[in-house]
Amino acid sequence: MKPKKKKSSPRKGKAKSTRRRGKTQKRSKLRRFLLLFVKLGFLGFFTFALFVSSVYLGFWGPIPSAQDLSRIEQAKATQIRSKEGELLAKIYSQNRDPLSFEEMPQHLRDALTSTEDERFYEHNGIDYRSLMRVVFKTILMGDRSAGGGSTISQQLAKNLFGRPDFSWFSMPVNKVKEIIIARRIESIYSKDEIITLYLNTVSFSENTFGIAAGSLRFFNRPPKQLKLQESAVLIGLLKANTYYNPRLNPEPALERRNTVLAQMARSEKISLAEKDSLQALPLRLSYRNLDRESPAAYFSSQVKGELQKILADKLRPDGREWQIETDGLIVTTTLEAKLHNALRNAALAHLSQLQKKFDQHWSSKNPWSSNQLFFDQKLAQTPWFKRMLTKGLSEEEIFAEAKKTRPMRLYHPGGFIEKKLSIEDSLSHYLKLLRIGSVALDPRSGAVRAWLGGSNFRYLPYDNVLAVKPTASTFKPLVYAMALENNEEPCTYLSAERQEYPGYDNWSPRNYDDKYEGYFSMTGALKKSINTVTVEWLMKYSEEELAILARKMGIENKLPEGPSIALGTGSASPLEMAIVYACFANGGFKVEPYLIEEVRSSAGDIIYRHLPKSKERVLKENTATLMNYMLQQVVKDGTAGSLSWRYGIKDEWAGKTGTSQNYADAWFVGYNDALVMSTWMGGENSLIRFRSGALGSGSAMALPVFGATIRDFKGSAYRRNQWLDLDSNQREVLACADWREANVGEKLMDLLDRIVEDPDNNEKEKGDSWWNRMFKKKKD
């Protein structure tokens, strides 16, 4: 008997039906969702593909072709180098010196790939694992510590072509561009070539581009000489080159360096033990910024001007003009680095002490206190004053504003000054700084061996080597050279008596020591720098003849009229005076100074080479030889005698000191047959000066620079013993005493000359005896 089926309750049947409908609805919703997801995915993919295609096709700006990428040319800085090859300065639009792959050490390349792209040698421009990490961690999860996904090739694309602004679309557009360019780069260049391009392109902060510039800036050495921990510092700052700048932020830079070392250990480029020992080292830099601290900034500025002239009529092999800022030229100059550095160090040390004395000398008032208009005019010429005028301020308001104090940092040869000062204080400070211009030439060729236009190019950029100043007694040798050219004898004696010159408003030159007794030979007059004798030698000839000789020897500036030109009232630059004295040193020839020996392209091809030029004879050889002997005596026991007893210089040098009126200009020109050095020191204006000869004379201000330079110079190229070779006739004509007393006949002739020149002399001296009238000194 079959069991009877139980009848289901209506309530249960209804529940089952509801569940079935629910499942059906869920499946239907899922199907619709999946269908929508597929549609959206397809639409998204289509949109993404359309977006990528628009970038690829150039709708967001052109993308460089493979042909363009195969011709990448990086701007190269032009290098200015010394005679010995030492880097002095660079000229550039971007401070970059591209290197070859072999010039980059292995540990530098390992630090780069370990930190920036650990699978660099495995991918073809895109690291998909890193890209997915960025998508999920950085974009979806907001984890900023997950790092970037750009490969070295993508970063290279960014460095080469930048990231244009497309507003909201900037990031996706530029990322897609960089991916496309990276793939093309990988298809053209090998991995090693990409590493080379990258390290030559990337910025290391402070306007330095490429590993060569970065290595020189922070460690003062080429990349090949970098230590491993130094490479880690440089690679570390690539993440954020200002924040991780080791000069500006040493603590973050040290932490970042250690992170790079840890990455290298993780990539098994270094051992854990090596990592630990290197991480324990302190951060040490050897910072060198040639833009601010070039030892030859004034010289390099002049070299740039001469280089532009040299290249004006020269073209590249492709027919284009040479570009100094981008073509990476190698300019070998005439500068001798050791001599120049000795000059620079001597000058800065001397200036530091002298400036302190000058500040004390004027501690109670300003040098222009009797001429306030001078200061006001200087203030009105400043860029700050002109900016205030453009803002609509009246002159009265500007002068009031100039008295307000604010924090300032001012340059001083003895060290920077940081305190609250006014604009007037700042201007007064810089006006009172002493200036220097010193240059050294090879008198045989004209090659410039040292050039110091001032104490600090950044704060005092005016080049005093070219500044035209009264030459004072350094001009006197030209008077004696003129006399020798006219066959006068060095042992001709002239009276030191003070005289008036009626034809020149009774002008009467004074001697430095106010002594006027006796007669001086040429040598004696030069040794003691006797003004009265020098003027008498001029009066035997003419101002015009002297001016012609001065121009022939190298002084371009027109000389003033009147017999005072014999005492150096005319003006010339230190460079011109070096040219003048070179005429004595080389036997009578005028040389043309030059700065550049050779210019080569970045590939090493010669573009220019200096060729010796024929020299014009401006003095007889005998004149030059006799002048050299007499100027040697100035150094041995004349006004420049301190070179021996103070600086211990035993070599045979010749030279002449000079001090202009009121101690406004101090000079010394020293030389032998291999070197001429001309030095001027003084203020920006003749008001700015010492008020005593003990501090402001040529022997106190300018001579010490020459003395310390030659004393401290370690080379032997300019050491000379007995460089002057006199023949028997020359020794004979020079064999006389520097000074002698007047004899009876000379005193009688002097008396008669005065009577002839002054008809009223008899009346003035009626009460005098015949003896007194003959032998007394003329009254001052």
Side-chain angles (χ1 to χ4, degrees):
M1 203 174 158
K2 292 182 180 178
K4 291 181 180 180
K5 289 184 178 178
K6 291 183 180 181
K7 290 183 179 180
S8 59
S9 70
R11 188 177 294 173
K12 288 183 178 178
K14 189 175 180 179
K16 285 182 177 180
S17 176
T18 301
R19 283 197 296 274
R20 282 196 296 271
R21 282 198 304 272
K23 288 180 179 178
T24 302
Q25 287 175 354
K26 285 181 179 179
R27 283 194 292 270
S28 178
K29 286 181 180 180
L30 181 61
R31 281 195 297 270
R32 287 198 300 271
F33 176 77
L34 290 173
L35 183 61
L36 179 62
F37 182 79
V38 170
K39 288 180 178 179
L40 289 174
F42 178 78
L43 181 61
F45 176 79
F46 178 77
T47 303
F48 178 72
L50 188 63
F51 170 70
V52 171
S53 298
S54 70
V55 175
Y56 184 86
L57 293 172
F59 288 100
W60 301 89
I63 294 178
S65 65
Q67 188 177 13
D68 294 330
L69 292 171
S70 66
R71 295 196 303 253
I72 293 174
E73 281 192 26
Q74 295 170 317
K76 303 174 186 178
T78 287
Q79 298 181 14
I80 299 175
R81 295 189 171 274
S82 71
K83 177 187 172 191
E84 307 94 326
E86 181 178 319
L87 181 62
L88 301 174
K90 295 181 180 180
I91 307 170
Y92 55 81
S93 56
Q94 287 187 338
N95 184 7
R96 187 199 322 274
D97 299 312
L99 301 179
S100 66
F101 181 78
E102 291 73 21
E103 292 174 291
M104 301 175 183
Q106 183 65 49
H107 55 70
L108 175 71
R109 306 195 298 265
D110 289 343
L112 175 66
T113 54
S114 298
T115 308
E116 296 294 322
D117 191 352
E118 61 182 344
R119 285 177 290 278
F120 173 71
Y121 286 98
E122 299 170 16
H123 61 67
N124 60 355
I126 305 170
D127 187 346
Y128 292 102
R129 286 169 58 183
S130 294
L131 197 59
M132 295 303 293
R133 182 193 71 230
V134 172
V135 170
F136 283 99
K137 285 192 175 183
T138 305
I139 298 177
L140 298 180
M141 299 175 63
D143 181 3
R144 294 287 180 183
S145 66
S150 293
T151 62
I152 287 175
S153 300
Q154 288 172 262
Q155 292 181 49
L156 174 60
K158 179 185 71 173
N159 294 336
L160 288 172
F161 303 103
R163 284 184 167 176
D165 183 16
F166 298 107
S167 189
W168 293 98
F169 296 97
S170 292
M171 182 57 71
V173 168
N174 285 315
K175 280 291 185 183
V176 172
K177 274 190 170 185
E178 288 162 14
I179 288 172
I180 296 170
I181 295 171
R183 291 295 301 272
R184 290 181 179 176
I185 287 173
E186 293 267 350
S187 69
I188 297 169
Y189 296 100
S190 69
K191 291 290 186 180
D192 289 351
E193 289 171 332
I194 293 171
I195 287 276
T196 304
L197 280 170
Y198 179 85
L199 284 173
N200 281 328
T201 303
V202 70
S203 171
F204 287 88
S205 79
E206 300 188 6
N207 197 29
T208 60
F209 294 85
I211 187 61
S215 178
L216 180 66
R217 175 64 55 90
F218 294 107
F219 298 105
N220 195 22
R221 64 182 68 180
K224 210 165 188 178
Q225 297 177 14
L226 285 172
K227 298 176 183 177
L228 194 154
Q229 67 269 23
E230 294 169 344
S231 291
V233 170
L234 293 173
I235 296 301
L237 69 78
L238 297 180
K239 184 176 182 181
N241 61 25
T242 298
Y243 181 70
Y244 292 117
N245 182 310
R247 179 181 68 88
L248 300 176
N249 303 303
E251 291 183 7
L254 178 62
E255 183 180 346
R256 180 63 181 163
R257 180 203 72 178
N258 290 344
T259 299
V260 173
L261 293 171
Q263 288 291 99
M264 293 182 73
R266 180 174 171 272
S267 300
E268 298 182 349
K269 302 298 183 183
I270 59 174
S271 66
L272 290 175
E274 194 174 4
K275 179 206 78 169
D276 292 339
S277 66
L278 291 173
Q279 286 181 335
L281 295 174
L283 179 64
R284 288 197 177 94
L285 304 179
S286 179
Y287 186 81
R288 186 189 187 198
N289 188 338
L290 282 175
D291 296 337
R292 294 183 178 182
E293 302 162 10
S294 169
Y298 295 94
F299 176 76
S300 299
S301 178
Q302 298 299 324
V303 167
K304 183 177 180 180
E306 186 168 319
L307 180 60
Q308 289 170 334
K309 294 177 183 176
I310 287 172
L311 298 178
D313 60 349
K314 293 176 174 55
L315 298 175
R316 289 167 38 135
D318 60 7
R320 291 184 293 162
E321 293 181 351
W322 288 103
Q323 301 299 318
I324 295 176
E325 294 185 344
T326 58
D327 283 342
L329 306 176
I330 308 298
V331 182
T332 301
T333 69
T334 59
L335 192 95
E336 187 166 348
K338 289 182 180 179
L339 178 66
H340 176 83
N341 291 337
L343 168 60
R344 182 171 179 265
N345 293 338
L348 294 182
H350 179 56
L351 263 176
S352 175
Q353 298 302 315
L354 201 62
Q355 188 66 54
K356 291 176 184 176
K357 294 178 181 178
F358 190 81
D359 295 341
Q360 293 169 359
H361 191 73
W362 290 100
S363 58
S364 61
K365 63 178 181 178
N366 287 319
W368 53 83
S369 56
S370 61
N371 186 1
Q372 184 60 34
L373 180 61
F374 163 78
F375 183 82
D376 292 343
Q377 288 175 339
K378 284 292 182 183
L379 181 60
Q381 292 168 5
T382 61
W384 174 85
F385 192 96
K386 293 172 182 177
R387 284 199 304 272
M388 294 300 103
L389 282 176
T390 60
K391 291 181 179 181
L393 274 69
S394 67
E395 288 195 4
E396 185 177 343
E397 290 172 324
I398 296 173
F399 279 110
E401 188 70 22
K403 297 182 185 298
K404 295 180 181 179
T405 61
R406 65 209 73 187
M408 289 190 179
R409 186 172 190 262
L410 305 180
Y411 165 74
H412 188 280
F416 282 91
I417 298 171
E418 295 188 40
K419 61 180 181 180
K420 292 187 75 174
L421 296 165
S422 68
I423 294 293
E424 283 191 352
D425 294 332
S426 172
L427 177 60
S428 176
H429 169 83
Y430 281 111
L431 283 175
K432 285 190 283 189
L433 292 184
L434 295 171
R435 309 300 206 259
I436 184 171
S438 186
V439 62
L441 299 180
D442 183 332
R444 299 160 295 191
S445 64
V448 172
R449 298 305 184 203
W451 182 300
L452 187 68
S455 58
N456 189 297
F457 185 75
R458 184 179 179 189
Y459 294 93
L460 301 170
Y462 185 75
D463 194 335
N464 291 291
V465 168
L466 303 175
V468 176
K469 301 290 181 179
T471 56
S473 293
T474 58
F475 185 84
K476 288 177 181 176
L478 279 76
V479 177
Y480 293 93
M482 176 183 67
L484 294 175
E485 287 288 281
N486 284 282
N487 300 316
E488 296 283 359
E489 295 287 340
C491 287
T492 301
Y493 288 89
L494 291 186
S495 172
E497 184 180 22
R498 187 177 179 190
Q499 299 186 48
E500 291 181 353
Y501 293 93
Y504 300 95
D505 296 326
N506 291 323
W507 176 71
S508 179
R510 302 173 66 96
N511 289 333
Y512 183 80
D513 58 3
D514 258 344
K515 294 180 179 179
Y516 304 97
E517 294 87 358
Y519 284 68
F520 283 85
S521 67
M522 288 187 184
T523 302
L526 277 169
K527 281 173 65 173
K528 300 301 181 184
S529 203
I530 306 299
N531 290 340
T532 53
V533 173
T534 306
V535 173
E536 273 298 283
W537 274 116
L538 170 63
M539 299 306 288
K540 288 172 69 71
Y541 297 97
S542 69
E543 300 166 32
E544 292 77 16
E545 188 173 351
L546 180 59
I548 291 170
L549 178 63
R551 180 168 291 276
K552 285 170 61 179
M553 293 179 71
I555 295 178
E556 299 294 333
N557 213 41
K558 184 179 179 181
L559 296 177
E561 295 180 356
S564 64
I565 63 169
L567 308 181
T569 54
S571 297
S573 69
L575 181 60
E576 287 176 313
M577 293 311 292
I579 297 169
V580 166
Y581 277 70
C583 298
F584 298 139
N586 65 27
F589 295 96
K590 181 185 176 183
V591 295
E592 183 178 334
Y594 70 100
L595 314 178
I596 296 175
E597 289 286 5
E598 185 180 85
V599 180
R600 289 179 180 263
S601 69
S602 59
D605 299 321
I606 294 176
I607 300 171
Y608 165 84
R609 179 172 285 164
H610 177 82
L611 298 175
K613 297 179 180 179
S614 59
K615 297 187 287 287
E616 177 191 1
R617 176 171 286 284
V618 294
L619 293 174
K620 299 172 186 174
E621 184 178 3
N622 185 61
T623 297
T625 301
L626 296 176
M627 288 302 307
N628 290 334
Y629 172 83
M630 291 189 286
L631 290 169
Q632 274 187 348
Q633 310 317 303
V634 175
V635 171
K636 284 183 177 178
D637 57 358
T639 57
S642 62
L643 283 179
S644 175
W645 57 263
R646 182 176 177 182
Y647 296 98
I649 298 174
K650 304 302 181 184
D651 304 302
E652 288 193 347
W653 291 88
K656 187 73 184 75
T657 56
T659 310
S660 71
Q661 191 170 14
N662 296 324
Y663 314 107
D665 304 278
W667 288 85
F668 181 68
V669 184
Y671 72 95
N672 60 22
D673 63 336
L675 188 73
V676 177
M677 185 180 295
S678 170
T679 302
W680 166 89
M681 285 188 70
E684 179 183 304
N685 183 277
S686 60
L687 292 171
I688 303 163
R689 56 181 175 79
F690 282 109
R691 290 167 290 182
S692 72
L695 294 171
S697 66
S699 56
M701 288 183 73
L703 182 144
V705 175
F706 176 88
T709 300
I710 300 304
R711 178 195 64 197
D712 298 339
F713 176 59
K714 303 304 180 184
S716 59
Y718 307 118
R719 302 292 187 190
R720 286 290 189 272
N721 289 312
Q722 297 181 346
W723 57 274
L724 195 57
D725 186 19
L726 300 176
D727 61 33
S728 58
N729 183 60
Q730 289 165 337
R731 285 195 293 270
E732 182 179 343
V733 298
L734 289 164
C736 58
D738 297 337
W739 175 89
R740 66 171 175 79
E741 293 183 353
N743 57 43
V744 174
E746 289 166 338
K747 289 187 177 184
L748 179 60
M749 291 304 297
D750 286 344
L751 176 60
L752 292 175
D753 286 342
R754 289 201 299 273
I755 293 172
V756 171
E757 291 173 5
D758 187 355
D760 297 327
N761 194 61
N762 286 329
E763 292 298 321
K764 291 177 183 177
E765 303 191 10
K766 268 184 182 178
D768 287 348
S769 69
W770 177 86
W771 181 267
N772 285 338
R773 288 171 60 195
M774 180 173 292
F775 294 104
K776 72 178 222 177
K777 289 193 298 181
K778 185 176 181 180
K779 295 177 183 178
D780 292 347

